[in-house]
Each structure stands twice: as C-alpha cells, then as structure tokens.
Amino acid sequence: MEQEFNALEAEKQEAKLLAEEGLIFETEVKSIFRIFKKKRFWHIKPLTFGTILQANLYAMELKLNLSDVTVNSAMHQMNSNIRPLMSYIAVSYLGSKWKIKFFKNIMTEYFLWRLAPEKALPLSLKIIQMYDLANFIASIRLIGTITSPMTKVEPSPNPIDGNKQDLNQ
C-alpha cells in the first residue's frame, strides 16, 4: 500500500522534531584578511518557559505593517525591527537566565553583523514553531477540566435577626 504525502502531518512531525531536538543554523566567520572563511554552527536547544517569556519581550517589539509598501515605510520598518529581531534570536539561542542577562547584548551585536536577512526571518518563524503551542494549549485545557472553579456559597439566614448574611466578603 502506497502512502500519500500529507502536508499537515509532515508539518506536525517537523514541529515535534523542532520542539524535541532544537534547531541548528549557521553564520559565516570572516577573518581579518578575508581569506579564511569558515561556517559557524549555532544550536538553539529546546526552549523552556523562562526562555520563551524573555524572547517574547523582544517579539512584542516587532511591528510589521505589510499593507504599506512604500520605500520610505519599508526603510522605517526595517530600521525599527532589526535590533528586536536579533535580540529575539539571541535570547532564544542563549536559553538561560544568567546567559541572557550577561551575553544578550554581545550576541545581538554578533547576529546583527553576521546573520543575513534571508536567514533571520525564517529562523524566527522556526523558533516560534519550537514554542509547541498546540501541546501547551492542550495542557492548559486539561488543567482547566481537572480543576473546577470554587463554587459560590449561598448566604444563609442569620439566626438572630432573620436577615441573610453575605459570606463571600
């Protein structure tokens, strides 16, 4: 029996692989004399919630307006979005609280000068896939069904004067 290629299933498997093993990308290392060019490989390990929270601080700074396509608007958007995008990638690469605190600015500058624009945007989309939002939302729904909200207590009449008391104060 021949299996059909299912694009949705293939995308799910790719997202699962990204969430479990991480992502590897490369940049060029340039020497002083520009003779020796090597490739440097970077491994973004699977993300933790702390890394996601820190990375989202920079992802929220990205403001893209795709409806306005004038050259002036494109230059303004590029100017205001490059540094947050590189910070987002740097935080995702560093992955721990102390590394982010001490090395984020250094890595942002490095990626700013070494990472090509045609690699940076697809890389940021793959990092978003690493968030594994489908499983996160499913786990939140499961927790919501297991724990039920506290039921409201009905006021009972006061035995002294017969008026109802409000116990929820």
Side-chain angles (χ1 to χ4, degrees):
M1 186 176 356
E2 200 174 307
Q3 290 183 335
E4 290 184 24
F5 177 73
N6 188 353
L8 184 61
E9 191 64 33
E11 188 173 330
K12 283 183 182 178
Q13 288 177 349
E14 180 186 359
K16 183 179 177 186
L17 188 64
L18 279 174
E20 290 175 355
E21 295 182 9
L23 172 69
I24 296 174
F25 67 99
E26 64 184 38
T27 59
E28 283 191 10
V29 177
K30 297 176 184 173
S31 67
I32 296 173
F33 302 112
R34 302 206 188 272
I35 297 171
F36 305 109
K37 288 187 178 181
K38 295 188 250 178
K39 302 250 184 220
R40 180 163 187 174
F41 293 96
W42 304 87
H43 183 204
I44 297 178
K45 295 179 178 81
L47 301 175
T48 61
F49 287 124
T51 305
I52 291 172
L53 285 174
Q54 289 293 318
N56 280 342
L57 294 175
Y58 299 102
M60 297 301 287
E61 290 180 19
L62 295 173
K63 293 175 179 55
L64 298 173
N65 183 6
L66 301 176
S67 62
D68 192 10
V69 290
T70 62
V71 174
N72 190 21
S73 171
M75 291 298 175
H76 178 69
Q77 286 184 32
M78 185 171 53
N79 191 29
S80 63
N81 288 317
I82 289 175
R83 193 163 297 278
L85 180 64
M86 294 304 140
S87 294
Y88 175 72
I89 294 170
V91 166
S92 298
Y93 167 71
L94 292 170
S96 76
K97 179 181 178 180
W98 294 106
K99 287 180 186 176
I100 291 169
K101 188 174 274 196
F102 292 123
F103 300 115
K104 180 194 69 76
N105 292 332
I106 295 168
M107 293 305 298
T108 299
E109 286 296 317
Y110 184 85
F111 289 146
L112 189 65
W113 292 101
R114 297 286 192 259
L115 200 57
E118 62 268 6
K119 284 186 179 180
L121 289 174
L123 182 62
S124 65
L125 293 176
K126 286 185 179 182
I127 292 171
I128 290 174
Q129 277 186 329
M130 288 175 65
Y131 282 13
D132 199 17
L133 290 176
N135 285 338
F136 176 70
I137 292 171
S139 66
I140 295 299
R141 285 184 185 151
L142 179 65
I143 291 171
T145 58
I146 291 173
T147 60
S148 62
M150 189 173 94
T151 58
K152 193 169 185 171
V153 178
E154 286 293 319
S156 62
N158 189 348
I160 297 174
D161 60 3
N163 293 331
K164 290 188 174 188
Q165 295 177 356
D166 191 10
L167 299 177
N168 292 324
Q169 291 180 353

